[in-house]
Amino acid sequence: PDRAKDGSFSSPKSNLPSPVQQEQAKAETLPDLNAEILYEDWDDIPPSSALEEISEEEAVQIIAEPLLPLQSSTLRDYVDHSETLAKLVHLGVDLSQVEKRQKAGQLLLTLDFEKDIRKILLFLKDVGVEDNQLGPFLTKNPYILAEDLEALETRVAYLKSKKFGKAEIAQMVSRAPYLLLFSVERLDNRLAFFKNELGLSVKKTKDLVIRLPRLLTGKLEPVKENLQVFQIELGFQRNEIQQIMFKTPKILTASKKRLRQTFDYLHNIMGIPHHMLTHFPQVFNSKLLRIRERHMFLTFLGRAQYDPAQPSYISLDQLVSLPDEVFCTEIAKASIQDFEKFLKTL
């Protein structure tokens, strides 16, 4: 604009078409907004300009919050930004294991320690989970942090109604961390299944699941298949199966292939009858390689005698449970060096 003779400014003549001039005229007629009205909803403090200069004292008082990663494949990147994750790590939770579980990492990032997690920790302590086991427990089952507290208390009350003692419940929950995720109906159905399938009394059913509580949380198909293997393929009677499974519950979920191979070697090669296997079913949990090596060594020495009615009888317990040195000196009547030399010839 050119300065007028009176000191004012005037705009040069516009070359815009007349419609644009009309719109420009309309714009000029809009009322000016009072700055005080704009600031009245902002606590009467006008916003600072990005170009406004500030003193050094004001500058050092500005604290920049660390940026939260928008996306990450590991929870470690969030620990410095999340009080909840930091406290869980201090508790002993292994975040590297938690993030391997489906959607568990996302769950932890949505929880507030004081609001969501503390009450679950107090509940677990009341159930009987030891302080030093809380971290490992949540590492295995972080999903319990999203469960309704009342539902958890109802499931514990159900176990108490079935005459499980406080110490027994604590043991079951600690050894099977997913136990309290299942409804009362499911727990009740599981107890009924093992009672009916194995023909056990109520007391023996309780004892069975106390010793192996993951029977209440695992799949039932492997259990059903193993029961059929023992009855149809291996030829055990129902009462023998009942004794075997009650004495050694792990067999209910063992590998079918390993069970078949172990039985074949014990029964068809070593000549162990069904009734002896029933009295010592723990042999099914032993490594087949150890059974084979020791049996072959005893055969080489002429001491492979497993008939209790005959002299120099060797029980299955002695065969598989003793350390090598004790097995050699007390059972094989040989030195450990002799045993090691023999194994090299196999």
Side-chain angles (χ1 to χ4, degrees), residues 326-339:
V326 178
F327 166 76
C328 290
T329 57
E330 296 187 7
I331 306 302
K333 308 299 181 183
S335 68
I336 185 68
Q337 290 78 16
D338 293 335
F339 184 47

Side-chain angles (χ1 to χ4, degrees), residues 46-58:
S48 300
S49 169
L51 302 178
E52 181 182 346
E53 293 185 5
I54 60 175
S55 66
E56 291 185 7
E57 293 182 357
E58 292 174 320

Side-chain angles (χ1 to χ4, degrees), residues 28 74 188 199 201 238 243 259 276 287 295 298 343:
E28 291 174 352
T74 174
D188 194 61
S201 65
R238 178 173 172 79
Q243 293 181 53
L259 291 175
M276 287 184 62
K287 293 182 178 180
H295 169 68
L298 291 173
L343 294 180

Side-chain angles (χ1 to χ4, degrees), residues 163-217:
K163 308 304 180 184
F164 288 96
K166 182 175 178 60
E168 294 168 340
I169 294 175
Q171 177 182 327
M172 292 167 66
V173 171
S174 298
R175 294 179 60 189
Y178 282 95
L179 179 63
L180 294 180
L181 293 188
F182 297 114
S183 66
V184 168
E185 291 75 16
R186 173 163 178 159
L187 294 175
D188 194 61
N189 290 336
R190 285 301 178 91
L191 288 172
F193 171 83
F194 289 105
K195 179 179 181 300
N196 297 331
E197 287 293 318
L198 298 177
L200 300 175
S201 65
V202 172
K203 184 179 183 303
K204 284 192 172 183
T205 303
K206 283 174 52 184
D207 184 70
L208 180 77
V209 298
I210 289 171
R211 287 185 289 138
L212 193 64
R214 59 186 174 87
L215 289 175
L216 296 177
T217 63

Side-chain angles (χ1 to χ4, degrees), residues 1-271:
D2 298 325
R3 178 179 293 275
K5 292 181 180 180
D6 59 0
S8 63
F9 289 91
S10 61
S11 299
K13 184 177 181 181
S14 175
N15 294 321
L16 295 174
S18 57
V20 176
Q21 291 178 334
Q22 293 174 2
E23 291 298 323
Q24 189 179 50
K26 290 181 181 179
E28 291 174 352
T29 61
L30 291 175
D32 292 334
L33 295 177
N34 191 316
E36 293 181 0
I37 299 176
L38 290 176
Y39 302 149
E40 65 182 6
D41 290 333
W42 297 342
D43 296 328
D44 296 330
I45 301 176
S48 300
S49 169
L51 302 178
E52 181 182 346
E53 293 185 5
I54 60 175
S55 66
E56 291 185 7
E57 293 182 357
E58 292 174 320
V60 297
Q61 293 177 1
I62 297 176
I63 301 176
E65 293 291 337
L67 295 177
L68 187 67
L70 296 178
Q71 186 175 2
S72 176
S73 60
T74 174
L75 287 173
R76 289 179 300 176
D77 294 339
Y78 295 92
V79 174
D80 292 337
H81 312 277
S82 170
E83 181 183 5
T84 294
L85 292 185
K87 288 185 176 181
L88 289 175
V89 169
H90 183 71
L91 197 64
V93 176
D94 187 344
L95 297 182
S96 66
Q97 295 300 315
V98 171
E99 64 192 19
K100 295 178 182 179
R101 307 185 186 281
Q102 188 176 16
K103 297 184 178 180
Q106 297 174 352
L107 168 65
L108 294 189
L109 290 173
T110 64
L111 298 177
D112 179 87
F113 191 88
E114 297 298 327
K115 178 183 176 183
D116 305 313
I117 297 179
R118 182 177 293 278
K119 61 184 179 182
I120 302 298
L121 294 177
L122 293 175
F123 164 78
L124 291 173
K125 285 171 59 68
D126 186 61
V127 169
V129 179
E130 299 292 337
D131 288 354
N132 61 353
Q133 288 300 313
L134 289 173
F137 182 95
L138 294 179
T139 299
K140 295 177 182 177
N141 178 19
Y143 305 109
I144 197 170
L145 297 175
E147 286 291 302
D148 179 71
L149 183 59
E150 186 176 347
L152 294 174
E153 292 171 340
T154 299
R155 293 160 195 169
V156 171
Y158 166 78
L159 293 175
K160 291 179 179 179
S161 73
K162 292 298 180 180
K163 308 304 180 184
F164 288 96
K166 182 175 178 60
E168 294 168 340
I169 294 175
Q171 177 182 327
M172 292 167 66
V173 171
S174 298
R175 294 179 60 189
Y178 282 95
L179 179 63
L180 294 180
L181 293 188
F182 297 114
S183 66
V184 168
E185 291 75 16
R186 173 163 178 159
L187 294 175
D188 194 61
N189 290 336
R190 285 301 178 91
L191 288 172
F193 171 83
F194 289 105
K195 179 179 181 300
N196 297 331
E197 287 293 318
L198 298 177
L200 300 175
S201 65
V202 172
K203 184 179 183 303
K204 284 192 172 183
T205 303
K206 283 174 52 184
D207 184 70
L208 180 77
V209 298
I210 289 171
R211 287 185 289 138
L212 193 64
R214 59 186 174 87
L215 289 175
L216 296 177
T217 63
K219 295 181 180 179
L220 290 181
E221 286 307 313
V223 173
K224 294 176 182 178
E225 291 172 359
N226 282 358
L227 291 175
Q228 290 182 345
V229 166
F230 267 81
Q231 182 175 1
I232 299 174
E233 298 183 33
L234 308 187
F236 285 93
Q237 301 298 316
R238 178 173 172 79
N239 65 317
E240 292 175 329
I241 296 174
Q242 181 189 86
Q243 293 181 53
I244 290 172
M245 301 307 172
F246 180 72
K247 288 181 179 178
T248 315
K250 286 185 179 180
I251 295 178
L252 286 166
T253 57
S255 163
K256 295 185 292 297
K257 180 180 179 181
R258 186 166 65 84
L259 291 175
R260 294 185 184 108
Q261 291 176 339
T262 303
F263 174 82
D264 180 65
Y265 195 85
L266 290 167
H267 185 67
N268 298 323
I269 295 181
M270 295 175 58

